[in-house]
Amino acid sequence: MDSNNSNTRGTYLKPKKMGRRTRQAIPKSKQKNGGVRKLKANLEAMLEREQKALNELVRLRDIRIAYVRGMKLKADPILVAADFDEQVGLLHDTNPKEFPEWDELTDAAKARIGFLLSLAFDGYSFTANVSKKLEDSWVKKGLNPRDRAIDKINKELRKVGLGNAPFFFAIEGKGRGGRSKKRLHLHGYCLVDTPLEATKFKLALERALYRELNPPRGEGAPVKMVRSYQLNNEPKNATYWVGYSTKNAMLPGPRIEESPLYLNTPLTQCAHIFWDIVREVD
């Protein structure tokens, strides 16, 4: 009896005839990760468009800073990002209305806008590891890591008097290629006014993510914090740190199923006001 005739599920290749199958030969129902690839391509295209707009804003800001300093004046961190002087306006031809409206921006773009404020006002950026023991307890209880991190961080910030401090973070547990598993960690920044407040913010992160737990030997401090301007990679990209923070966190993953980005309300409000100033919105 012919083996193919006895197979009610359709023809198949004998071992000697097996070869590499093309994408066209695979039924659509079996083409795994096709949706992920499309999502990734669409997301990258959107982020690229937004980044071009922000790069233009940074370029104009640098022109205005040079102009103001050349006039022996103090460069105001807000005004240098707004079209405040006709003479400076002669140096470029960008219409502020050409920038996307606030509601058209992704969370990643809003995080970049907030980071420009962190640069302007000497804010701080951080990397915070989540202890494996704590992550394991979340997994065992079926808790969402992102939501737990938000709740615990906000709780600890209120304890140190920084409940209204604007901050952003991206949480991820994947490697640079988006597949390999790494320790759950956060990249982010905060807008605080003094080194003392930065120390309190760092303490709140440690208590939220490593409270009563010591980091394993050789892994260093669970939270690292530096001035945001130290992570400014100009002239390549003034918002480099946020791009690094979201390098693969925006892609779907088994450990972080929802959006991995978090902008708290105070930061969203500050960034929104700043963007309205940039776009000359009344």
Side-chain angles (χ1 to χ4, degrees):
M1 179 182 294
D2 184 27
S3 59
N4 282 340
N5 292 334
S6 64
N7 179 16
T8 59
R9 300 179 63 183
T11 61
Y12 64 90
L13 292 176
K14 293 181 179 180
K16 290 184 180 180
K17 294 183 180 180
M18 285 185 177
R20 184 174 181 180
R21 302 177 70 184
T22 64
R23 180 180 178 85
Q24 290 74 20
I26 303 175
K28 290 185 178 180
S29 61
K30 295 184 179 181
Q31 292 179 6
K32 296 182 179 180
N33 299 326
V36 173
R37 284 193 292 270
K38 184 177 180 180
L39 174 63
K40 181 179 179 180
N42 292 340
L43 183 60
E44 288 178 346
M46 181 182 297
L47 295 178
E48 183 178 357
R49 289 195 299 270
E50 293 177 334
Q51 188 61 59
K52 285 182 178 178
L54 290 175
N55 287 346
E56 176 65 6
L57 173 63
V58 172
R59 186 183 73 84
L60 301 183
R61 181 199 65 177
D62 292 343
I63 291 175
R64 291 164 182 158
I65 288 177
Y67 175 84
V68 172
R69 289 176 176 171
M71 298 293 291
K72 307 299 182 183
L73 301 173
K74 183 178 180 180
D76 184 280
I78 293 295
L79 293 183
V80 293
D83 197 8
F84 67 96
D85 192 293
E86 292 183 0
Q87 291 180 328
V88 179
L90 294 175
L91 300 176
H92 61 83
D93 58 0
T94 298
N95 183 345
K97 300 299 182 184
E98 294 176 356
F99 291 124
E101 295 184 11
W102 178 258
D103 292 338
E104 298 173 346
L105 296 170
T106 64
D107 285 347
K110 294 175 181 179
R112 284 177 162 89
I113 293 169
F115 189 70
L116 293 178
L117 291 174
S118 184
L119 291 175
F121 294 102
D122 294 335
Y124 290 80
S125 295
F126 59 83
T127 295
N129 291 320
V130 178
S131 74
K132 188 175 185 307
K133 188 174 181 180
L134 184 60
E135 181 187 358
D136 289 344
S137 70
W138 293 346
V139 173
K140 185 177 180 180
K141 297 176 183 178
L143 301 174
N144 183 295
R146 174 183 178 272
D147 292 344
R148 288 303 298 151
I150 292 172
D151 291 342
K152 291 177 70 65
I153 290 172
N154 282 324
K155 180 180 179 180
E156 294 300 332
L157 285 175
R158 288 192 293 269
K159 289 182 180 180
V160 296
L162 294 177
N164 292 320
F167 73 96
F168 155 83
F169 73 73
I171 182 170
E172 65 172 308
K174 301 189 295 289
R176 189 176 295 272
R179 293 183 179 180
S180 62
K181 184 176 180 179
K182 294 183 64 176
R183 292 182 59 196
L184 200 65
H185 60 283
L186 283 63
H187 294 303
Y189 63 83
C190 59
L191 304 181
V192 293
D193 297 326
T194 65
L196 177 59
E197 288 184 344
T199 299
K200 290 182 178 180
F201 196 99
K202 181 174 181 290
L203 178 63
L205 289 177
E206 291 173 342
R207 287 177 174 175
L209 306 176
Y210 254 93
R211 190 172 187 178
E212 299 178 354
L213 296 172
N214 295 320
R217 181 176 298 179
E219 292 190 357
V223 178
K224 298 179 181 178
M225 180 175 286
V226 298
R227 289 280 193 180
S228 288
Y229 62 74
Q230 293 180 250
L231 298 173
N232 179 14
N233 199 27
E234 291 185 295
K236 177 183 177 182
N237 184 349
T239 59
Y240 167 79
W241 176 241
V242 178
Y244 176 83
S245 301
T246 61
K247 61 186 181 299
N248 61 57
M250 296 287 284
L251 300 178
R255 298 165 80 188
I256 309 295
E257 297 180 356
E258 299 179 3
S259 170
L261 310 186
Y262 175 69
L263 295 81
N264 73 340
T265 299
L267 177 64
T268 302
Q269 292 172 340
C270 290
H272 194 171
I273 293 172
F274 174 64
W275 195 241
D276 282 349
I277 292 174
V278 169
R279 296 190 68 251
E280 299 182 356
V281 176
D282 295 330

